[in-house]
Amino acid sequence: MPPGRGPRGPTEQHHPPETGGRDEGAPSRPTLPFPAFASQGRRKTRRPRQPPPASLPFAEILSRVPYRSLCRFRCVSKAWRLLCSQPAIERRVPQTLSGFFHTHHSDGGLRFSNLSGGGAPLVDASLPFLRRRYASVKLEQCSSSLLLCRCRESEDDEECDYVVCNPMTGQWTVLPPIVWQDEEDGEPAYFRVVQPFLGLDPAVPSRFVVFSPLVEVCNDVAIYSSETGRWSRNNEWGDNSEYPAFSAECGFLNGMMHFLHLVTEEPIIAVVDLDGDVCGEIALPEGMEEASSGYSSIGYSQGKLHAWYMLPHYYELFVWVLEDYASEKWTLKHTVDVPELFGRESTEEDCDEEDKTYKYEMFAIHPEHNVIFLTNWKEVNLSYDMDSKEVHLMCTSGDFLGGLPYIPSFADLVV
């Protein structure tokens, strides 16, 4: 979290102390607590000193500006930096997509690239607060504002910890072992945390759950809640081998997680609550029924569930939106020839039938705008506005290919 505590409000400090240096012999001028007030100077006729207008709610105003604007305001002066770094303000500023975590092509290290493509990274992707304890830190999942990492105290250590952390505040917690009493003999039964999936409501990023399938017990799922600090067991999945299917293809909407589940016969979207119970299924939009892994995904944007599918070989992209959640009514929102966005024509040679490698992918959708993000897995990442049909190049060097979308949050973890 940016250092420093905010100064006391301007209505409580009518005679701020002098700060900084000045030329010898220069008249002493007080440094104003906030740039919003200008010095009145000395006058021949002294007037009653007017206190700063107490009605101006600075904290209320600043807590409503976008976070990037707040960062720019810090550069105005030391007083502004202190004011804009107050935790009470930072926790309340509206957040949106700020950038992407990704793997650097040269050394395989974790990087963070701002959405704008320029400037210093918003987040230190080395996660120094974890490096103080762990020699090895690997990012497994970025779920909105929190990260799930697999950490080892030494490079050769076979045992690992799974850690949930907030990279903006440096707060983190280690998931405890999965243990509960055996139903037969009452002895404690221990299970390994495997293939964990981090779930949270982006509107309440301070609370989270983690799902871990129990490989020792068919179709049972262990669920960790940050509110209780304990694991619970869900065995309501029964003999339905279609579940669990926790994967990156997930969108959170209406208090539920929506997983794209590509079963053999009929792909669906499984609706799962934070207790791990399957609450329903949503049929995929027409034209997406033949979707296979690697071509399709889902996400949320502007409060609605979206699904997308890229046609093999010629890379025509289809994007649907679930306009009516109750009736499961999908609407085809946009189609685009992806190779054209990268300045080339699509050909059947774009797909190598032997190794099944595909050269284009849509890896994210903006949570607030009709903007999607694509990569050619060679050199270029770009964003595409489905309304204006404008293309913006984000990377042309190959340093940033694909990525995990990240929305910053200053909320304290509930652990």
Side-chain angles (χ1 to χ4, degrees):
M1 179 177 292
R5 297 278 182 177
R8 302 179 67 187
T11 59
E12 299 181 10
Q13 186 175 334
H14 293 192
H15 301 280
E18 181 180 356
T19 60
R22 68 178 189 273
D23 294 335
E24 212 172 298
S28 174
R29 298 183 64 186
T31 299
L32 300 172
F34 310 114
F37 304 112
S39 173
Q40 298 297 322
R42 293 183 177 273
R43 300 175 183 268
K44 293 182 179 180
T45 303
R46 296 183 63 87
R47 296 181 178 180
R49 183 165 183 170
Q50 298 294 325
S55 59
L56 291 179
F58 288 100
E60 290 295 324
I61 294 174
L62 292 177
S63 66
R64 285 168 168 76
V65 302
Y67 177 68
R68 287 198 170 277
S69 298
L70 195 69
C71 291
R72 289 194 289 268
F73 293 163
R74 292 191 180 119
C75 301
V76 174
S77 67
K78 291 182 179 180
W80 272 100
R81 184 179 64 190
L82 291 173
L83 174 64
C84 296
S85 298
Q86 292 188 61
I89 293 178
E90 288 182 326
R91 292 192 193 100
R92 297 174 56 191
V93 293
Q95 307 292 350
T96 187
L97 180 66
S98 294
F100 299 88
F101 283 97
H102 61 92
T103 302
H104 195 268
H105 80 286
S106 61
D107 58 13
L110 187 64
R111 298 287 192 276
F112 184 86
S113 291
N114 296 331
L115 182 62
S116 61
L122 175 68
V123 179
D124 186 348
S126 68
L127 306 178
F129 53 90
L130 292 181
R131 297 286 180 179
R132 299 188 190 105
R133 173 172 173 179
Y134 296 102
S136 173
V137 177
K138 181 181 179 181
L139 177 60
E140 295 287 314
Q141 182 190 347
C142 175
S143 182
S144 180
S145 303
L146 302 182
L147 308 183
L148 175 65
C149 301
R150 185 172 62 191
C151 306
R152 288 185 170 88
E153 295 185 355
S154 68
E155 295 288 350
D156 300 328
D157 195 353
E158 294 184 359
E159 299 294 328
C160 68
D161 289 338
Y162 282 100
V163 175
V164 176
C165 68
N166 183 335
M168 294 302 296
T169 64
Q171 292 179 305
W172 53 284
T173 182
V174 179
L175 299 181
I178 303 175
V179 57
W180 45 70
Q181 288 186 335
D182 188 272
E183 296 179 356
E184 295 182 358
D185 55 20
E187 294 295 323
Y190 293 87
F191 298 85
R192 295 181 298 115
V193 178
V194 294
Q195 301 176 349
F197 181 89
L198 174 63
L200 61 94
D201 184 348
V204 191
S206 58
R207 296 177 173 84
F208 64 89
V209 295
V210 177
F211 298 87
S212 177
L214 298 177
V215 295
E216 298 88 348
V217 183
C218 182
N219 297 321
D220 278 13
V221 180
I223 304 168
Y224 175 83
S225 170
S226 64
E227 293 188 280
T228 63
R230 298 191 303 271
W231 291 94
S232 60
R233 183 172 178 175
N234 186 305
N235 54 10
E236 298 298 325
W237 301 63
D239 297 329
N240 191 344
S241 59
E242 297 178 359
Y243 305 108
F246 304 119
S247 64
E249 288 76 28
C250 175
F252 196 99
L253 192 67
N254 299 331
M256 301 286 182
M257 290 178 292
H258 298 71
F259 294 94
L260 177 60
H261 189 54
L262 303 171
V263 296
T264 304
E265 297 182 358
E266 185 179 357
I268 58 162
I269 296 175
V271 183
V272 182
D273 65 18
L274 294 182
D275 292 325
D277 294 326
V278 180
C279 301
E281 299 176 355
I282 298 177
L284 294 176
E286 184 178 356
M288 194 177 172
E289 297 88 344
E290 302 299 325
S292 60
S293 180
Y295 288 105
S296 55
S297 190
I298 61 174
Y300 73 93
S301 178
Q302 302 165 88
K304 295 181 179 180
L305 191 66
H306 285 64
W308 54 92
Y309 172 66
M310 192 177 295
L311 193 66
H313 308 315
Y314 290 99
Y315 297 100
E316 186 176 8
L317 178 67
F318 301 84
V319 181
W320 292 270
V321 57
L322 189 61
E323 292 284 6
D324 190 337
Y325 189 89
S327 64
E328 301 182 12
K329 179 183 178 181
W330 291 94
T331 300
L332 182 61
K333 187 172 187 175
H334 196 73
T335 61
V336 63
D337 187 302
V338 174
E340 288 186 359
L341 301 181
F342 290 85
R344 58 166 297 174
E345 295 182 0
S346 57
T347 67
E348 200 163 341
E349 296 178 355
D350 283 334
C351 173
D352 188 332
E353 287 294 342
E354 293 184 0
D355 60 13
K356 297 295 183 181
T357 56
Y358 300 95
K359 298 183 179 180
Y360 302 99
E361 182 178 346
M362 173 180 163
F363 61 90
I365 186 170
H366 200 289
E368 296 180 4
H369 306 288
N370 288 327
V371 175
I372 58 178
F373 303 90
L374 305 104
T375 181
N376 67 354
W377 290 118
K378 287 185 177 180
E379 296 178 342
V380 179
N381 264 12
L382 57 82
S383 64
Y384 172 69
D385 190 313
M386 293 183 287
D387 292 332
S388 65
K389 298 180 175 56
E390 293 181 354
V391 174
H392 172 70
L393 295 177
M394 303 170 61
C395 173
T396 58
S397 64
D399 293 338
F400 167 27
L401 298 177
L404 302 175
Y406 175 73
I407 300 174
S409 170
F410 290 94
D412 293 330
L413 288 180
V414 176
V415 295

